[in-house]
Amino acid sequence: MATVKLLSDDELSPEARAVFDDIRATRKSDFVNNFWRALAHDPKTLRRTWESIKEVMAPGALDPKVKEMLYVAVSVAHGCSYCIHSHTASARAKGMTEAEYLEMLAIVGMAAETNRLVTALGVPVDEAFLVDAPAGRHQEL
Amino acid sequence: MATVKLLSDDELSPEARAVFDDIRATRKSDFVNNFWRALAHDPKTLRRTWESIKEVMAPGALDPKVKEMLYVAVSVAHGCSYCIHSHTASARAKGMTEAEYLEMLAIVGMAAETNRLVTALGVPVDEAFLVDAPAGRHQEL
Amino acid sequence: MATVKLLSDDELSPEARAVFDDIRATRKSDFVNNFWRALAHDPKTLRRTWESIKEVMAPGALDPKVKEMLYVAVSVAHGCSYCIHSHTASARAKGMTEAEYLEMLAIVGMAAETNRLVTALGVPVDEAFLVDAPAGRHQEL
Amino acid sequence: MATVKLLSDDELSPEARAVFDDIRATRKSDFVNNFWRALAHDPKTLRRTWESIKEVMAPGALDPKVKEMLYVAVSVAHGCSYCIHSHTASARAKGMTEAEYLEMLAIVGMAAETNRLVTALGVPVDEAFLVDAPAGRHQEL
Amino acid sequence: MATVKLLSDDELSPEARAVFDDIRATRKSDFVNNFWRALAHDPKTLRRTWESIKEVMAPGALDPKVKEMLYVAVSVAHGCSYCIHSHTASARAKGMTEAEYLEMLAIVGMAAETNRLVTALGVPVDEAFLVDAPAGRHQEL
Amino acid sequence: MATVKLLSDDELSPEARAVFDDIRATRKSDFVNNFWRALAHDPKTLRRTWESIKEVMAPGALDPKVKEMLYVAVSVAHGCSYCIHSHTASARAKGMTEAEYLEMLAIVGMAAETNRLVTALGVPVDEAFLVDAPAGRHQEL
């Protein structure tokens, strides 16, 4: 139940079409998923979002599949079902094994639990965790 | 501003002390951070939480530093400042480089943005993302 | 999939019916949406919620369509699909243009991104932002 | 308690300095707030975020103060204290009156309440709210 | 770091003072906590919020301490430190034992964990949980 | 739309089957709901989660139906529709009356509203709410 009509290829403005072309060229696939078809109503946001994602998810310091897994973890915490599905699929496509997937799930659940326990208890941050803690402190963690 | 007093070592019940001993032995460090000192009021939850974290964060399919980074990502989305500080410190202690840290931050921010755009637009999940999508579909992502 | 049965007009208690009558009179429309039909199981909460919404959303300092857009923005951040749909429809009915809608979406996404970056980095509040900052400071923002 | 050191002007890389120069020129103020000083560790994300904010918050279809108020509303729902302070200050600097501020607060609170009631009850979206509802339906809202 | 000045008793408008008088009379205490001193800038929202809380938290079907515990649980999930502190204090004042408090914490943490696991996995609701499930189904849960 | 296939009884690993056996024996019912059928892909997390829930939800200081209601309250704030349905059904099965249910809903909504108002206003915690406040202070709340 989208709040806007999903645009098919022949309903795109020239600006939106140019972004779709780049999505297809970058991903080497004709498939353009619904997120972009909804965002296509606003070519400016479509372009900015696509360019940003391309920059952020480009090969870098982290393994591409780890980047997708971080994306999934955040999407779970924000309760975005669409994003969970799309990035879980992407992580799998980039080599995430089932063991890695299940381990990630366990971490997401565990973090949620301790996040809420800490918040409920109002635990103050240990000095050792501060960025300017005396050298050597972090080594013990 | 904790809602309970943080317990010092000599205020621990025998059951809580046993868990602290295991924390110290497992981490090979005398340092026990405030989270456990708050949780020590409830030895049963202290034990269960520690045993669960030990199981979940044990060496497995994923790199230990990646596991900490997933923990940080979820903690950010849940707004748990303590958890962000403690697991960012742990990730660094386990070898996360500054480049990896900054790349993770960019992904967390980007995911938050697209999570909310998708939710606002009510984008329906593409068939290609379903777990039982025809073989070959995922390869294109 | 509601956790309670949605009540039709002829299943209402007299107290609930009185609230429905006021909803219809206030909105000058026979249509009563599902939220009120679920809430009608509890006439007291039905009345309090309706009276509160009527007060909060009444003509005031802000443009009615802006008020609906603020409602949508919060609903997106809370992940309430129903509320997003109902208040996006209301904002459109009150004159929100497509350009305004898309600009709002871009802000919601952008805010989500910087909210999480700030939280991850633990950025301390600048003195200039405090309510009792020296006069003249805010002018620079 | 930041997880990174806030960078002073003389600790900036040339790339970060260039962004700071643009922030100062755009805002016609020498003041650069802490968010950018934390983000300056990653010149790429600093630039992308600043360029994105500049685009999104530029004069457009919506009143600049309304745009800041939408930013505040989202920041409240995400619990980002820094963002609440900075964008409340910006909204005031752009002309938000106290009456408008208090009206916005009331809407944010009200939306939070009905968001959670709707979620708890699992209320299904009314057909009238769908984007392809028969013409005339929206007029009644 | 409030975004408004907290109002002292002699800074109240007559409308706000009347609400403070009722808070004091209802609670049989001279103490008026900071929440109301911030909200006092908007006498209308101050009155509506106080009247609503009075109605919702009045003696009813649930034990007063249980009502405060539900308030704490929600406040934890929303990450509102002030609310956690005030309602944990209220729950204790209304007789919540330490054992009850710790049991509540454990439930909040556990719920957070399974909430996120369920969301990550996209688990579909069982028919047996639907409100119109065949009689007898719920008995088995 | 699950991200994994829900496992039927004859697709379970021996480790998962053992947990299912215990679920059935503990609940004295043959019914095993979808959450466990999704989690069964990871027998270790299945076992840990089940053992944890069994410990946390076991008879203790709080009434079993109150424990389920706390679970529902947290699940609402986290927006987990599945969890809301399953624990609302459980609470009803354990004796929650309709009056108790509706009172809980009202509290969840009210807490959400004041949580966000407090966060927006940045209200500082009153000294009286601190765990080490002078004796007698809490009595006044």
Side-chain angles (χ1 to χ4, degrees):
Chain A
M1 289 176 306
T3 62
V4 295
K5 212 182 146 300
L6 300 179
L7 297 186
S8 63
D9 282 5
D10 52 11
E11 294 170 312
L12 300 174
S13 66
E15 296 84 355
R17 175 174 299 280
V19 177
F20 272 46
D21 287 348
D22 191 45
I23 292 175
R24 287 181 161 121
T26 305
R27 293 185 168 171
K28 301 184 203 326
S29 158
D30 195 50
F31 176 62
V32 178
N33 53 303
N34 288 340
F35 174 48
W36 307 111
R37 296 186 181 282
L39 221 51
H41 287 271
D42 185 352
K44 205 170 59 169
T45 297
L46 172 68
R47 173 167 294 284
R48 182 172 45 77
T49 307
W50 168 245
E51 295 291 351
S52 293
I53 284 213
K54 214 168 41 164
E55 180 178 305
V56 169
M57 301 304 276
L62 294 167
D63 181 343
K65 84 182 162 194
V66 165
K67 298 175 83 155
E68 294 290 349
M69 291 167 83
L70 287 163
Y71 220 111
V72 174
V74 173
S75 302
V76 172
H78 286 148
C80 180
S81 173
Y82 180 89
C83 314
I84 293 166
H85 275 86
S86 64
H87 291 278
T88 298
S90 291
R92 281 177 171 146
K94 289 178 182 168
M96 177 181 72
T97 65
E98 212 56 14
E100 289 171 329
Y101 175 57
L102 297 170
E103 201 162 302
M104 177 195 70
L105 287 189
I107 294 168
V108 169
M110 199 67 227
E113 181 168 22
T114 59
N115 287 175
R116 295 323 190 195
L117 286 173
V118 161
T119 299
L121 291 160
V123 185
V125 178
D126 300 74
E127 267 193 57
F129 296 147
L130 300 183
V131 70
D132 48 4
R137 225 20 186 144
H138 284 170
Q139 268 57 43
E140 298 180 32
L141 302 176
Chain B
M1 288 177 306
T3 61
V4 295
K5 213 182 146 300
L6 299 180
L7 297 186
S8 64
D9 282 6
D10 52 11
E11 293 170 314
L12 300 173
S13 65
E15 296 83 355
R17 176 173 299 278
V19 177
F20 273 45
D21 287 348
D22 191 45
I23 292 175
R24 286 178 161 122
T26 305
R27 293 184 168 173
K28 301 186 205 323
S29 160
D30 195 50
F31 176 62
V32 178
N33 53 305
N34 288 341
F35 175 48
W36 306 112
R37 296 186 181 283
L39 220 52
H41 287 271
D42 185 352
K44 205 170 59 170
T45 297
L46 173 68
R47 173 167 295 284
R48 182 172 45 77
T49 307
W50 168 245
E51 295 291 352
S52 294
I53 283 213
K54 215 169 39 164
E55 180 178 304
V56 170
M57 301 303 276
L62 294 166
D63 181 343
K65 84 182 161 193
V66 166
K67 297 175 84 156
E68 294 290 348
M69 292 168 83
L70 287 163
Y71 220 111
V72 173
V74 173
S75 302
V76 172
H78 287 147
C80 179
S81 174
Y82 181 90
C83 314
I84 293 167
H85 276 85
S86 64
H87 290 279
T88 298
S90 292
R92 282 176 171 146
K94 288 178 181 167
M96 176 181 72
T97 65
E98 211 57 11
E100 289 170 330
Y101 174 58
L102 297 170
E103 201 162 302
M104 176 195 71
L105 287 188
I107 295 167
V108 169
M110 200 67 226
E113 181 168 21
T114 58
N115 287 174
R116 295 322 191 196
L117 287 173
V118 162
T119 299
L121 291 160
V123 185
V125 178
D126 299 75
E127 267 193 57
F129 297 148
L130 301 183
V131 69
D132 47 4
R137 223 28 184 138
H138 284 170
Q139 267 58 41
E140 298 180 33
L141 301 176
Chain C
M1 289 175 307
T3 61
V4 295
K5 211 180 146 305
L6 299 179
L7 297 185
S8 64
D9 283 5
D10 53 9
E11 293 170 314
L12 300 174
S13 66
E15 296 83 356
R17 175 174 300 278
V19 178
F20 272 45
D21 287 347
D22 191 46
I23 293 175
R24 287 179 161 124
T26 304
R27 294 184 167 172
K28 300 186 204 329
S29 160
D30 195 51
F31 177 61
V32 178
N33 53 303
N34 288 340
F35 175 47
W36 307 111
R37 296 185 181 284
L39 220 53
H41 287 271
D42 184 352
K44 205 171 59 169
T45 296
L46 173 67
R47 173 167 294 284
R48 183 172 45 77
T49 306
W50 167 245
E51 296 290 352
S52 294
I53 283 212
K54 214 167 42 164
E55 179 178 305
V56 169
M57 300 304 275
L62 294 167
D63 182 343
K65 84 182 162 194
V66 166
K67 297 175 83 156
E68 293 291 348
M69 291 168 83
L70 287 163
Y71 219 111
V72 174
V74 173
S75 302
V76 172
H78 286 149
C80 179
S81 173
Y82 181 90
C83 314
I84 293 166
H85 276 85
S86 63
H87 290 279
T88 297
S90 291
R92 282 176 170 147
K94 289 177 180 168
M96 176 181 72
T97 65
E98 211 56 13
E100 289 171 329
Y101 175 57
L102 296 170
E103 202 162 302
M104 177 196 71
L105 287 188
I107 294 167
V108 170
M110 199 67 226
E113 180 168 22
T114 58
N115 287 175
R116 296 321 191 196
L117 286 174
V118 162
T119 299
L121 291 161
V123 185
V125 178
D126 300 74
E127 267 192 58
F129 296 147
L130 300 184
V131 70
D132 47 4
R137 225 23 185 141
H138 284 169
Q139 267 58 41
E140 298 180 32
L141 301 177
Chain D
M1 288 177 306
T3 61
V4 295
K5 212 180 146 302
L6 299 180
L7 297 186
S8 63
D9 282 5
D10 53 11
E11 293 169 315
L12 300 173
S13 66
E15 296 83 356
R17 176 174 300 279
V19 178
F20 273 45
D21 287 348
D22 191 46
I23 292 175
R24 287 180 161 122
T26 305
R27 293 183 167 174
K28 300 186 204 326
S29 160
D30 195 50
F31 177 61
V32 178
N33 53 304
N34 288 341
F35 174 48
W36 307 112
R37 296 186 181 283
L39 220 53
H41 287 273
D42 185 351
K44 205 171 57 170
T45 297
L46 173 67
R47 173 167 295 285
R48 183 171 45 78
T49 307
W50 167 246
E51 296 290 352
S52 294
I53 283 213
K54 214 169 39 164
E55 180 178 304
V56 170
M57 301 303 275
L62 295 166
D63 181 343
K65 83 180 163 194
V66 166
K67 297 175 84 157
E68 293 290 348
M69 290 168 84
L70 287 163
Y71 219 112
V72 174
V74 173
S75 301
V76 171
H78 287 149
C80 179
S81 173
Y82 180 90
C83 315
I84 293 166
H85 276 85
S86 63
H87 290 279
T88 298
S90 291
R92 282 176 170 146
K94 289 178 181 167
M96 176 181 71
T97 65
E98 211 57 12
E100 289 170 330
Y101 175 57
L102 296 171
E103 202 162 302
M104 176 196 71
L105 287 189
I107 294 167
V108 170
M110 199 67 225
E113 181 168 20
T114 58
N115 287 174
R116 296 321 191 195
L117 287 174
V118 162
T119 300
L121 291 161
V123 185
V125 178
D126 299 74
E127 266 191 59
F129 297 147
L130 300 184
V131 71
D132 48 4
R137 225 23 185 143
H138 283 170
Q139 267 58 41
E140 299 179 31
L141 302 177
Chain E
M1 287 177 307
T3 61
V4 295
K5 212 181 145 303
L6 299 180
L7 297 185
S8 63
D9 282 5
D10 52 11
E11 294 170 313
L12 300 174
S13 66
E15 296 83 356
R17 176 174 299 278
V19 178
F20 272 46
D21 286 348
D22 191 45
I23 293 176
R24 286 179 161 124
T26 305
R27 293 183 167 173
K28 301 186 202 326
S29 159
D30 196 49
F31 176 62
V32 178
N33 52 304
N34 288 341
F35 175 48
W36 307 111
R37 296 186 182 282
L39 220 52
H41 287 271
D42 185 351
K44 205 170 60 170
T45 297
L46 173 67
R47 173 168 295 284
R48 183 172 45 78
T49 307
W50 167 245
E51 296 289 352
S52 294
I53 284 213
K54 213 167 44 163
E55 179 177 306
V56 170
M57 301 304 276
L62 294 167
D63 181 344
K65 83 181 164 195
V66 166
K67 296 175 83 157
E68 293 290 348
M69 292 168 82
L70 286 163
Y71 220 112
V72 174
V74 173
S75 302
V76 171
H78 286 149
C80 179
S81 174
Y82 180 89
C83 315
I84 293 166
H85 276 85
S86 64
H87 290 279
T88 298
S90 291
R92 282 175 170 147
K94 289 178 180 166
M96 177 181 71
T97 66
E98 211 57 13
E100 289 170 330
Y101 175 57
L102 296 171
E103 203 163 301
M104 176 195 71
L105 288 188
I107 294 167
V108 170
M110 199 68 226
E113 181 169 20
T114 58
N115 286 175
R116 296 321 191 196
L117 286 174
V118 162
T119 299
L121 291 160
V123 184
V125 178
D126 299 74
E127 267 192 59
F129 297 148
L130 300 183
V131 69
D132 47 4
R137 226 20 186 144
H138 283 170
Q139 267 58 42
E140 298 180 30
L141 301 177
Chain F
M1 288 175 307
T3 61
V4 295
K5 213 182 145 301
L6 299 180
L7 298 186
S8 63
D9 283 5
D10 53 10
E11 293 170 313
L12 301 173
S13 65
E15 297 83 355
R17 175 174 300 277
V19 178
F20 272 46
D21 286 348
D22 191 45
I23 292 175
R24 288 180 160 122
T26 305
R27 294 183 165 173
K28 299 186 204 326
S29 160
D30 195 50
F31 177 61
V32 178
N33 54 303
N34 288 341
F35 175 48
W36 307 112
R37 296 187 181 283
L39 220 52
H41 288 271
D42 185 351
K44 205 170 59 170
T45 296
L46 173 68
R47 172 167 296 284
R48 182 172 46 76
T49 306
W50 167 246
E51 296 291 351
S52 294
I53 284 214
K54 216 169 39 165
E55 180 178 304
V56 169
M57 300 304 275
L62 295 166
D63 182 342
K65 84 181 162 195
V66 166
K67 297 175 82 157
E68 293 291 348
M69 291 167 83
L70 288 162
Y71 219 112
V72 174
V74 173
S75 302
V76 172
H78 286 150
C80 179
S81 173
Y82 180 90
C83 314
I84 293 166
H85 276 86
S86 64
H87 290 278
T88 297
S90 291
R92 282 176 170 145
K94 289 177 181 170
M96 176 181 72
T97 65
E98 211 57 12
E100 289 171 330
Y101 175 57
L102 296 171
E103 202 163 302
M104 177 195 71
L105 287 189
I107 294 167
V108 169
M110 200 67 226
E113 181 168 21
T114 59
N115 287 174
R116 295 321 190 196
L117 287 173
V118 162
T119 299
L121 292 160
V123 185
V125 178
D126 300 74
E127 266 192 59
F129 296 147
L130 301 183
V131 69
D132 47 4
R137 224 25 185 141
H138 284 170
Q139 267 59 41
E140 297 179 32
L141 302 176

